[in-house]
Amino acid sequence: MEEEELEGPNSASEKRYFPESLDSSDGDEEGILACEDLELNPFDGLPYSSRYYKLLKEREDLPIWKEKYSFMENLLQNQIVIVSGDAKCGKSSQVPQWCAEYCLSVRYQHGGVVCTQVRPQSAVQLALRVADEMDVNIGHEVGYVIPFENCCASETILRYCTDGMLQREMMSSPFLGSYGVIILDDVHERSIATDVLLGLLKDVLMARPELKLIINSSPHLISKLISYYGNVPLIEVKKQHPVEVVYLSGAQKESFESILRLIFEIHQSGEKGDIVVFLACEQDIEKAYEIVCQEGSNLNPDLGELVVVPLYPEEKCALFKPNEETEKRCQVYQRRVVLTTSSGESLIWSNTVKFVIDVGVERRKVYNPRIRANSLVTQPISQSQAEIRKQIVGSSSPGKLFRLYSEEFASKDMRPLKPAEMQEANLTSMVLFVKRIDIAGLGHCDFINRPAPESLMQALEDLDYLAALDNDGNLSEFGIIMSEFPLDPQLSKSILASCEFDCVEEMLTIAAMVTAPNCFSNLPRGAEEAALTCWKTFLHPEGDHFTLINIYKAYQDTALNSTSEHCVEKWCHDHFLNCCALRMADVIRAELLEIVKRIELPCAEPAFGSEENALNIKKALLSGYFMQIARDVDGSGNYLMLTHKQVAQLHPRSGYSITKKMPEWVLFHKFSIAENNYIRITSEISPELFMQLAPQYYFSNLPPSESKDILHQVMDHLSPMSTMKKEQNVCEKCPETAEQRCALQ
């Protein structure tokens, strides 16, 4: 057909429109003629719906649409194409569709299309949006893959996935043979997984000359990408719309008051449009949400309702352009105020946003390899982030950007580019993956920015402590099994150790609960006492890990005995628990159990509640988390880390904090250096158990401290006979090779 041939940039607008023929016909002959005129969707063979043509007109208005012909020509003639475009120019939704058209034209002989996203929320929402625009069913021709959720089928030709999921796919298919086109989107976010893919795909492209790679980025990173990949074609998309930028330099010191004042001034002005506020951290979102909701209820109702939307990093919904009915209702009756952080920069795509308030700072996690902990640091955003926030203002009419800082601050204190996550994060999982992929011959990874040497050495050291490496520094057989789990290596180690200690079922529950979002709800003011009363019913004397098992079991029992999902949601609400988080934990646990069965790990019957089982769970936890031990040094809840001299307190929602019973030695799951140095998810352990399970060479490398002296005394008191018996028992249970040892190093 003529329409299937590649034409100029305006060819799409020349397609015929027949929405009326779907709804009415005056006679049989006219109906037959109308059916003959229907244009068929080449992806599913069905006639296009009237909605397809409506969305097509909207797509033609996107800034990137003018570049379609140029892009398709470059795609045909080159292996790598870089697309430079601002936020909301359409590159994330249109480029993958054009690549699907290319794959269709060559009859999918090289595979389909995959497009990576940094955040799961973006992958899901883009897949839904693109399926709608292509007039196909989600989960069939278009799908998505995110951690612990796969919405694809054998006929899926275009899939959106997180960069981490594509990275994991390379473990089983190193050359990604299922795809003819790979699109790395939002490369300027500089996530670890995207940077690793940029490096590894260089070798894949050499091995597969037919493979196409598309790189989507904001303009700020383009020069770096071109120097990294060499002389490759560049498609530049210009999106110009008027935005009035207002600098409020005096507002930085009293940013909260300034934000609230601006929100209410904008609302009372009567100007149409939603407001997006970029705050520094989640705590600021909670604080602003409470104040705006409280004050907003006192405003003049004639101005319309002020709807406050807190957009947290883990939210699974993005603000897309609403349908006509919702948009009309919002313009007449409502104004949305979206409260978010830097993580929301790629999640807000609605054209109804007319006002953006930017505080100019963010709270970032920066990993310190010397103490194996994250520091929460408040620092200025980058100039590239400031520009992206400007582009969020809708393009249909002029908007305003309020910057709560000075122009001098923007030019002198802000870095040009956002720092690469590779240079600020814990690299242990990344090193485990690179070691695993090395087995397939793709071990060389030419990073766009070299990882920090100290972080790299710490990651290798940790993997060595966890028995994931052999004497030559390659992955041991045990390390290969650890890499099968989509978890932190320490958590993977604990699951494998649970096979030795007959507590796999319980350890899988713990792993699912600590991987899912926080199961405790955010509490409104005044609900703390009622919530604590509810939570006390779940507390377990052995610690928070055991409390999580109690909560999960109670949730499962409720789900099994309930007649509807509404009953489960009500139970969660009544107990101040996050129903979505518990659902996610259920999904995660099911996938982890499937992995355990697939690699044929031994799995004993659950025995939760017995003393022996509680001890075994602690042994499994210690096998992975022996590097995360703290001791109460003064009996008042001041816990000193075993690996460094940081002091922390138990989190207020810890069971020990609620019952006011502070154990001397604890194993903890999380610790961050911030205003409140809290250790989270803690369980009591004994120093004797630690000395039995921690690798001897790890203990030898600990810095001198009073805690280490105590442990030395414990080691001296452990009788040689009991040590020999312990080693003998382990040897009888473990495989013959040293690399496969689970419980002990």
Side-chain angles (χ1 to χ4, degrees):
M1 289 177 63
E2 190 175 334
E3 281 117 28
E4 293 179 7
E5 295 175 5
L6 182 63
E7 298 178 2
N10 297 320
S11 60
S13 61
E14 295 168 11
K15 291 185 177 179
R16 292 164 293 177
Y17 291 67
F18 296 98
E20 295 82 9
S21 65
L22 297 175
D23 301 323
S24 63
S25 60
D26 294 330
D28 290 342
E29 186 177 345
E30 287 185 24
I32 292 170
L33 288 172
C35 289
E36 287 177 352
D37 287 338
L38 286 176
E39 188 177 5
L40 297 181
N41 187 335
F43 293 107
D44 62 7
L46 300 174
Y48 283 122
S49 67
S50 57
R51 178 166 175 77
Y52 168 81
Y53 295 103
K54 176 181 177 297
L55 293 177
L56 180 61
K57 295 191 76 174
E58 294 180 7
R59 293 167 61 194
E60 290 170 354
D61 291 334
L62 291 170
I64 199 169
W65 193 266
K66 298 174 184 176
E67 307 299 331
K68 180 177 181 180
Y69 184 65
S70 172
F71 173 82
M72 295 300 277
E73 274 197 330
N74 278 290
L75 181 64
L76 287 169
Q77 298 169 10
N78 299 275
Q79 195 176 17
I80 303 174
V81 179
I82 296 176
V83 179
S84 166
D86 294 335
K88 295 167 66 174
C89 72
K91 62 184 184 296
S92 299
S93 59
Q94 304 311 303
V95 168
Q97 294 186 60
W98 300 341
C99 292
E101 291 174 18
Y102 162 77
C103 289
L104 175 68
S105 71
V106 297
R107 301 185 184 278
Y108 309 110
Q109 57 181 317
H110 306 308
V113 182
V114 64
C115 179
T116 66
Q117 297 294 312
V118 174
R119 295 180 178 84
Q121 307 98 304
S122 300
V124 173
Q125 293 296 335
L126 277 167
L128 291 168
R129 177 176 177 168
V130 168
D132 196 19
E133 291 182 354
M134 291 176 66
D135 209 18
V136 295
N137 293 321
I138 187 71
H140 293 273
E141 291 79 13
V142 176
Y144 62 85
V145 182
I146 61 175
F148 308 106
E149 187 175 353
N150 186 338
C151 183
C152 289
S154 57
E155 67 266 28
T156 300
I157 55 175
L158 167 56
R159 69 178 64 195
Y160 283 87
C161 70
T162 56
D163 47 9
M165 293 306 293
L166 185 62
Q167 180 181 282
R168 288 198 64 80
E169 190 173 339
M170 292 186 77
M171 294 197 327
S172 56
S173 177
F175 295 97
L176 298 171
S178 301
Y179 307 113
V181 181
I182 296 172
I183 305 166
L184 300 183
D185 198 15
D186 287 340
V187 172
H188 56 271
E189 291 276 352
R190 302 304 308 278
S191 70
I192 290 177
T194 293
D195 275 12
V196 169
L197 288 170
L198 281 170
L200 291 177
L201 286 174
K202 276 190 169 184
D203 287 347
V204 176
L205 289 168
M206 291 178 65
R208 291 186 57 200
E210 77 283 1
L211 178 65
K212 307 285 187 180
L213 174 63
I214 313 300
I215 300 171
N216 287 347
S217 177
S218 69
H220 312 90
L221 195 64
I222 295 304
S223 59
K224 197 174 188 71
L225 288 169
I226 290 177
S227 63
Y228 180 65
Y229 274 105
N231 188 22
V232 295
L234 171 65
I235 306 294
E236 293 186 271
V237 184
K238 301 294 185 184
K239 182 172 77 77
Q240 295 180 345
H241 60 270
V243 178
E244 181 185 347
V245 180
V246 180
Y247 288 93
L248 300 171
S249 56
Q252 200 161 17
K253 293 180 181 178
E254 47 182 32
S255 59
F256 234 87
E257 292 76 7
S258 301
I259 290 166
L260 298 173
R261 185 171 61 251
L262 278 170
I263 290 172
F264 297 130
E265 283 179 0
I266 291 168
H267 188 59
Q268 289 170 345
S269 71
E271 292 184 65
K272 303 294 183 185
D274 294 334
I275 305 168
V276 173
V277 184
F278 284 101
L279 298 160
C281 60
E282 291 182 44
Q283 290 79 6
D284 287 354
I285 293 178
E286 294 171 5
K287 184 179 175 183
Y289 177 76
E290 187 174 335
I291 296 173
V292 176
C293 286
Q294 186 176 353
E295 296 295 327
S297 60
N298 300 323
L299 296 174
N300 184 353
D302 295 338
L303 295 171
E305 185 183 358
L306 200 62
V307 180
V308 189
V309 183
L311 191 62
Y312 294 100
E314 68 270 14
E315 287 292 341
K316 288 204 165 182
C317 58
L319 294 181
F320 282 79
K321 185 174 182 179
N323 58 41
E324 283 184 3
E325 183 181 345
T326 306
E327 193 170 22
K328 184 178 179 182
R329 185 163 53 87
C330 286
Q331 287 177 349
V332 177
Y333 301 107
Q334 296 181 339
R335 183 199 304 277
R336 290 179 295 182
V337 178
V338 182
L339 307 173
T340 188
T341 61
S342 295
S343 62
E345 289 167 359
S346 61
L347 299 178
I348 301 169
W349 299 344
S350 172
N351 280 330
T352 61
V353 176
K354 292 293 173 263
F355 306 94
V356 172
I357 301 171
D358 179 14
V359 297
V361 295
E362 63 179 344
R363 183 171 292 182
R364 299 175 62 86
K365 282 185 180 179
V366 179
Y367 186 72
N368 186 336
R370 294 182 182 179
I371 60 174
R372 291 183 172 87
N374 286 312
S375 296
L376 294 177
V377 181
T378 301
Q379 58 188 27
I381 61 172
S382 66
Q383 293 172 7
S384 60
Q385 287 174 280
E387 185 61 26
I388 288 171
R389 295 178 181 191
K390 177 182 175 182
Q391 294 158 9
I392 286 171
V393 178
S395 55
S396 57
S397 62
K400 282 186 178 180
L401 167 65
F402 298 94
R403 287 177 169 166
L404 307 188
Y405 49 88
S406 65
E407 290 185 73
E408 184 182 9
F409 178 84
S411 60
K412 291 185 178 180
D413 295 308
M414 290 183 176
R415 289 178 281 191
L417 296 174
K418 182 179 181 179
E421 188 184 6
M422 181 83 69
Q423 296 173 324
E424 293 188 339
N426 185 343
L427 302 181
T428 310
S429 294
M430 185 272 286
V431 172
L432 181 66
F433 167 76
V434 173
K435 290 284 184 184
R436 170 67 186 265
I437 209 73
D438 185 34
I439 299 169
L442 285 176
H444 173 71
C445 188
D446 179 20
F447 294 110
I448 192 169
N449 281 105
R450 297 292 297 171
E454 196 173 11
S455 296
L456 212 51
M457 290 303 297
Q458 173 265 317
L460 288 166
E461 186 178 56
D462 284 4
L463 290 176
D464 190 36
Y465 287 146
L466 294 168
L469 304 179
D470 61 21
N471 293 334
D472 297 322
N474 301 314
L475 267 199
S476 63
E477 291 182 36
F478 187 58
I480 292 172
I481 299 173
M482 283 173 60
S483 68
E484 288 291 323
F485 291 92
L487 302 169
D488 178 89
Q490 291 174 278
L491 200 49
S492 301
K493 173 67 184 293
S494 290
I495 290 176
L496 296 187
S498 69
C499 300
E500 294 294 326
F501 299 118
D502 298 331
C503 57
V504 174
E505 291 284 342
E506 294 82 3
M507 197 61 232
L508 289 178
T509 300
I510 292 172
M513 290 293 282
V514 299
T515 304
N518 186 2
C519 67
F520 297 105
S521 297
N522 289 327
L523 299 179
R525 182 176 292 180
E528 291 86 354
E529 189 175 338
L532 288 177
T533 302
C534 288
W535 293 342
K536 280 180 180 178
T537 61
F538 302 115
L539 295 184
H540 194 289
E542 296 293 346
D544 297 338
H545 297 87
F546 298 82
T547 296
L548 292 177
I549 296 177
N550 279 342
I551 292 172
Y552 179 77
K553 285 171 68 68
Y555 166 77
Q556 268 202 324
D557 291 343
T558 303
L560 287 172
N561 297 323
S562 297
T563 55
S564 68
E565 193 64 34
H566 174 72
C567 296
V568 180
E569 291 173 357
K570 184 179 185 304
W571 179 85
C572 291
H573 180 268
D574 292 345
H575 288 82
F576 300 92
L577 297 173
N578 185 333
C579 191
C580 291
L582 288 167
R583 279 199 205 104
M584 177 60 70
D586 211 20
V587 172
I588 293 171
R589 192 186 186 283
E591 181 164 330
L592 295 178
L593 182 59
E594 188 179 319
I595 295 171
V596 167
K597 291 178 178 178
R598 175 169 55 81
I599 57 183
E600 298 181 350
L601 294 175
C603 189
E605 288 295 317
F608 187 66
S610 68
E611 286 187 23
E612 183 184 4
N613 178 257
L615 181 61
N616 286 340
I617 292 172
K618 290 184 179 183
K619 287 179 179 179
L621 286 168
L622 263 170
S623 298
Y625 288 91
F626 53 83
M627 289 179 274
Q628 296 184 194
I629 305 297
R631 183 176 73 90
D632 186 354
V633 292
D634 57 9
S636 61
N638 291 311
Y639 285 87
L640 185 67
M641 309 291 128
L642 197 56
T643 51
H644 52 81
K645 294 184 178 180
Q646 291 289 336
V647 176
Q649 284 74 42
L650 298 177
H651 192 271
R653 290 188 182 177
S654 169
Y656 297 122
S657 297
I658 294 172
T659 59
K660 309 297 183 186
K661 295 178 181 178
M662 304 295 177
E664 183 180 3
W665 294 84
V666 294
L667 173 150
F668 59 90
H669 182 69
K670 281 184 183 177
F671 169 64
S672 293
I673 299 172
E675 297 166 2
N676 298 313
N677 285 3
Y678 288 135
I679 47 177
R680 300 167 185 262
I681 311 179
T682 54
S683 290
E684 182 178 10
I685 56 116
S686 68
E688 291 80 9
L689 200 61
F690 173 82
M691 290 308 301
Q692 289 174 20
L693 291 163
Q696 179 59 42
Y697 56 100
Y698 167 75
F699 176 70
S700 302
N701 290 337
L702 287 174
S705 67
E706 183 185 358
S707 300
K708 187 175 182 180
D709 293 340
I710 294 172
L711 291 172
H712 261 301
Q713 294 171 15
V714 169
M715 183 170 61
D716 293 339
H717 283 87
L718 286 173
S719 67
M721 188 59 68
S722 64
T723 305
M724 288 175 61
K725 185 178 179 181
K726 176 199 69 176
E727 290 176 351
Q728 185 180 354
N729 289 338
V730 171
C731 290
E732 287 173 359
K733 283 189 173 183
C734 288
E736 293 179 3
T737 57
E739 298 86 39
Q740 292 176 295
R741 290 177 296 173
C742 292
L744 299 173
Q745 319 308 312

